[in-house]
Amino acid sequence: MIELQHLSKRYGGGRKAQPVHALDDLCLSVPAGCLYGLLGPNGAGKTTALRILCTLLAPDGGSVQVAGIDALAQPRAVRRLLGYVAQEVALDKILTGRELLQLQGDLYHLRPADRDGRIDELTALLAMNDWIDRRCGTYSGGMRRRLDLAAGLLHRPKVLVLDEPTVGLDIESRSAIWQVLRQLRDQGTTVLLSSHYLEEVDALADRLAILEAGRVIAEGPPQQLKAALGGDRVTLRVREFSDAEEAEQVRRLLEDCQGVSRVVVNRAQGFSLNLVVDDDGVVERLRRQLAEARLPVFALSQSRPSLDDVYLQATGRTLMDAELSVAGLRDAKAERKQAMR
Amino acid sequence: MTSASPSISAAGPAPEPSALAEISQETLALCRRLFVQLLRRPSTLVAGVLQPLIWLVLFGALFSRAPEGLLPGGISYGRFLGAGVIVFTAFSGALNAGLPLMFDREFGFLNRLLVAPLRSRSSIVLASVLYITAMSLVQSLAIMATAALLGYGWPSGPGLFVVLVTLLLLVFAVTALSLGLAFALPGHIELIAVIFVANLPLLFASTALAPISFMPPWLGWLAALNPLTFAIEPIRAVYSGSFHLGDVVLNAPYGSLTAGTCLGLLAVLSAALFLSIRPLLDRKLT
Ligand SMILES: Nc1ncnc2c1ncn2[C@@H]1O[C@H](COP(=O)(O)OP(=O)(O)OP(=O)(O)O)[C@@H](O)[C@H]1O
Ligand SMILES: [Mg+2]
């Protein structure tokens, strides 16, 4: 349904700033009727990719197709098929929710009767009855999101694109949105959402792509990606705070152990060790060997592979660390300016 | 996706609705939004009337004892000033045309419009033009009514028509300018600064407050080139009683201009401004 081929996009590159490669040969293919998750840390290029898909931004290179229509050549035809719920909710504070939806309906050329019926339908679906006739300026974050979602759904789009739809929401609003998205998928709508919540994508998506620095580094159904990793994940700390030397010593010890693979020293988390074990017996053997080497065990946890492990495997760091490392590097104000038309 | 109800779908895809119907639907919706905003926050409307009103009353009073026969044609200062204040009202109203658009750019609302399958993105511009035209005409009419109450007269039927046409031409030109600025400038602070700076000098360097014969030559030149003057003089002629397109209404340092020439110049100016902001709009709206 959605085909993004070899997309590239650079920002800036003026006198002062050096260019940012927001997208670097990004390829993505979303089957029809699929609930597809786009997972990636801050700055991975999720928003950029979705803005290009929604014809808000022209790529430097590559092609975009929605339902077989070339979005770069026929943007208007694609706009009709798409519903877009942006990362930053832009509502008009002065209008009521209903007025905003009416405006939206007119921009999509719905017939007034159809439009108003549809507004009632969505108001009920998203549990917004008490708020729909109040001004948007008085809405809570959750209500704003719901209204924005309603706006995206008003014209019954074949493809719904959502950019981090649940970020910063209370649990109630979040599960309301999840439920609606599942329902839409069940009715045949193709849903593409970006997120940096692993659990969200894990719980919701039929397929996902992990984005890192503007390219796809892993793709597939969540179960399959996790299963492909095999084994159980173990995180081991010999002390609350180890040093590099000790961690290295433990790593050598572990690598010699049978049934242990992929031992990684996680520097960002106090030199803890991440490893993969084949079965439960291995953990017992590990504990014995550590005791023989007179090493303590401060903490040892074992879990089935998660999407975070998929990410860790592909990039050598956890998603959380990736987020932390870019936080503060980005200039939100400058980006806002650039995104202005 | 207008085909929501499955009516006669057997005959293949429904014919695309006419461009005119779609464009008017989107333009009206955008325009309605601007008016709803205005009605719920009428301060701009009120301020836009109040300021010229104060000018009219204060300046009228200030010069009410001016010697008879001081002004060309021997009219009273209040009557002289009326035309200037009417034009100034329309002018400063239209100068604000770009503000809502600038806020939409800054708050991302414009993106909502741009992901929608608008039949023509000119609808966004058209809605602004319609809105600001209506608003500045209402403001000007309010000032004209006040001037009438103060005893400065009310234009007769055809005169009223000339006044409205003149104001319309000026409003178009200024709106084009302001919309262009709304896309060219980086933010609303800059836009408001430009509006603020442009406002009063353009008023003083026109014939709104005094005739050219009162001005030093350099100012006279400025006033004679100022588009506000081209709007003020025909309206002043209407207010002073007899109006004919062929009558000379402005004795500029470079020659005499008839009312018709003034209106022609205004028309050319608005056309030129709309043409010159077009590439900018095309770039920003695609
Ligand atoms: N308008 C802009 N001007 C300059 N650089 C930008 C702009 N928008 C994004 N970038 C940069 O491009 C990269 C990708 O940004 P993008 O917003 O697509 O990431 P994201 O995955 O959506 O992140 P987040 O999770 O924070 O929303 C980042 O490095 C960012 O700093
Ligand atoms: Mg983003």
Side-chain angles (χ1 to χ4, degrees):
Chain A
M1 195 65 166
I2 304 174
E3 293 287 342
L4 306 182
Q5 292 293 331
H6 307 292
L7 284 188
S8 66
K9 178 72 193 175
R10 280 192 303 180
Y11 286 113
R15 293 123 285 160
K16 282 169 279 173
Q18 54 178 1
V20 179
H21 283 263
L23 297 183
D24 178 14
D25 199 32
L26 176 98
C27 297
L28 195 71
S29 158
V30 179
C34 181
L35 207 172
Y36 199 100
L38 203 56
L39 185 63
N42 283 132
K46 306 182 292 294
T47 300
T48 305
L50 298 185
R51 286 173 64 91
I52 290 176
L53 171 62
C54 295
T55 73
L56 273 176
L57 197 64
D60 294 338
S63 71
V64 181
Q65 287 209 336
V66 180
I69 304 172
D70 181 349
L72 302 177
Q74 291 177 273
R76 204 158 64 85
V78 165
R79 286 183 201 127
R80 285 187 212 210
L81 299 176
L82 289 179
Y84 176 53
V85 181
Q87 183 167 6
E88 272 157 26
V89 191
L91 302 178
D92 185 331
K93 282 195 277 189
I94 309 283
L95 298 185
T96 66
R98 189 183 300 278
E99 287 164 340
L100 184 100
L101 293 180
Q102 286 171 338
L103 169 65
Q104 181 95 8
D106 285 333
L107 297 182
Y108 283 83
H109 312 118
L110 303 186
R111 264 174 279 131
D114 180 32
R115 174 194 74 192
D116 294 342
R118 184 75 179 140
I119 292 174
D120 292 338
E121 230 173 280
L122 289 169
T123 307
L125 180 72
L126 292 161
M128 300 186 6
N129 290 308
D130 294 345
W131 290 90
I132 191 73
D133 287 312
R134 297 196 208 180
R135 295 194 194 177
C136 300
T138 64
Y139 284 14
S140 68
M143 205 45 69
R144 291 163 62 88
R145 274 281 167 194
R146 290 186 207 193
L147 181 63
D148 206 19
L149 180 58
L153 287 174
L154 199 64
H155 63 293
R156 304 171 215 264
K158 287 207 164 53
V159 177
L160 182 66
V161 178
L162 308 103
D163 200 353
E164 307 202 14
T166 62
V167 67
L169 285 194
D170 57 290
I171 301 197
E172 195 191 336
S173 294
R174 181 191 288 212
S175 64
I177 289 181
W178 282 18
Q179 199 188 337
V180 171
L181 295 186
R182 288 206 180 96
Q183 221 168 307
L184 283 168
R185 183 260 327 266
D186 294 341
Q187 291 160 5
T189 306
T190 308
V191 182
L192 172 61
L193 90 160
S194 79
S195 175
H196 55 215
Y197 295 135
L198 294 160
E199 320 79 54
E200 176 163 84
V201 174
D202 205 353
L204 210 52
D206 304 322
R207 275 185 94 84
L208 71 114
I210 299 183
L211 229 66
E212 161 87 4
R215 29 170 74 240
V216 175
I217 54 169
E219 205 275 340
Q223 297 312 326
Q224 194 176 313
L225 286 175
K226 288 185 289 188
L229 288 180
D232 275 8
R233 312 286 115 176
V234 169
T235 303
L236 170 69
R237 287 165 175 244
V238 290
R239 278 177 232 287
E240 189 167 9
F241 301 105
S242 301
D243 54 26
E245 204 177 314
E246 189 173 50
E248 194 49 35
Q249 181 197 346
V250 180
R251 192 181 65 81
R252 278 197 301 273
L253 183 98
L254 294 177
E255 277 192 331
D256 293 340
C257 232
Q258 233 200 347
V260 171
S261 55
R262 295 185 229 155
V263 186
V264 186
V265 176
N266 192 336
R267 300 172 149 269
Q269 289 180 0
F271 295 101
S272 64
L273 290 122
N274 298 114
L275 49 138
V276 177
V277 298
D278 289 350
D279 56 72
D280 291 351
V282 179
V283 175
E284 282 315 303
R285 212 160 51 228
L286 266 182
R287 283 187 185 276
R288 257 189 318 229
Q289 292 206 350
L290 285 169
E292 279 166 23
R294 299 189 176 282
L295 281 165
V297 174
F298 174 74
L300 188 151
S301 62
Q302 179 181 5
S303 60
R304 312 231 52 108
S306 70
L307 283 182
D308 205 13
D309 297 311
V310 176
Y311 185 79
L312 180 69
Q313 180 64 32
T315 64
R317 56 181 185 169
T318 64
L319 194 59
M320 175 76 86
D321 295 335
E323 305 256 88
L324 290 177
S325 74
V326 294
L329 278 184
R330 301 178 61 177
D331 183 349
K333 216 172 132 201
E335 280 175 27
R336 222 192 154 94
K337 279 260 130 92
Q338 277 251 351
M340 258 171 67
R341 295 306 202 93
Chain B
M1 300 270 288
T2 39
S3 56
S5 60
S7 44
I8 5 164
S9 52
E16 201 168 3
S18 80
L20 192 64
E22 289 196 345
I23 290 178
S24 50
Q25 186 180 17
E26 54 204 36
T27 307
L28 277 182
L30 289 168
C31 213
R32 189 177 319 122
R33 162 171 178 245
L34 293 169
F35 278 110
V36 168
Q37 284 180 338
L38 182 69
L39 292 181
R40 293 193 186 153
R41 261 197 317 207
S43 50
T44 34
L45 183 69
V46 173
V49 175
L50 223 50
Q51 193 194 12
L53 205 70
I54 294 171
W55 290 94
L56 192 64
V57 172
L58 279 188
F59 270 75
L62 194 59
F63 292 101
S64 59
R65 299 263 178 90
E68 292 283 321
L70 183 68
L71 292 162
I75 55 173
S76 75
Y77 188 72
R79 204 172 262 263
F80 177 85
L81 182 66
V85 171
I86 291 165
V87 168
F88 179 64
T89 311
F91 167 72
S92 46
L95 208 49
N96 289 322
L99 267 181
L101 206 63
M102 178 58 101
F103 283 119
D104 281 354
R105 281 180 68 206
E106 286 189 306
F107 292 114
F109 202 87
L110 187 61
N111 284 335
R112 182 183 290 284
L113 311 183
L114 295 182
V115 287
L118 294 184
R119 187 58 174 256
S120 161
R121 289 182 166 185
S122 312
S123 301
I124 300 172
V125 175
L126 195 59
S128 295
V129 174
L130 286 175
Y131 160 75
I132 212 74
T133 307
M135 181 168 107
S136 24
L137 284 188
V138 166
Q139 288 176 332
S140 305
L141 284 171
I143 292 295
M144 286 169 69
T146 317
L149 288 180
L150 290 174
Y152 302 149
W154 178 261
S156 62
L160 185 62
F161 179 73
V162 173
V163 172
L164 291 182
V165 168
T166 313
L167 291 178
L168 266 183
L169 290 175
L170 181 73
V171 166
F172 284 158
V174 179
T175 301
L177 185 70
S178 182
L179 291 177
L181 287 173
F183 279 109
L185 295 176
H188 73 273
I189 309 228
E190 290 82 356
L191 183 60
I192 289 176
V194 170
I195 292 175
F196 189 74
V197 166
N199 217 337
L200 287 189
L202 273 165
L203 176 70
F204 285 110
S206 77
T207 58
L209 304 176
I212 287 188
S213 55
F214 286 21
M215 300 179 185
W218 62 271
L219 190 58
W221 266 98
L222 282 184
L225 296 172
N226 185 341
L228 287 187
T229 301
F230 302 146
I232 292 168
E233 290 307 328
I235 293 182
R236 188 166 283 154
V238 168
Y239 265 83
S240 70
S242 72
F243 177 87
H244 299 284
L245 273 180
D247 288 354
V248 168
V249 292
L250 178 66
N251 287 305
Y254 50 77
S256 306
L257 297 186
T258 64
T261 319
C262 284
L263 293 183
L265 283 172
L266 281 178
V268 169
L269 182 70
S270 18
L273 278 170
F274 267 106
L275 285 181
S276 63
I277 63 165
R278 236 198 112 127
L280 180 68
L281 298 189
D282 284 348
R283 187 147 42 85
K284 296 287 186 168
L285 289 178
T286 43

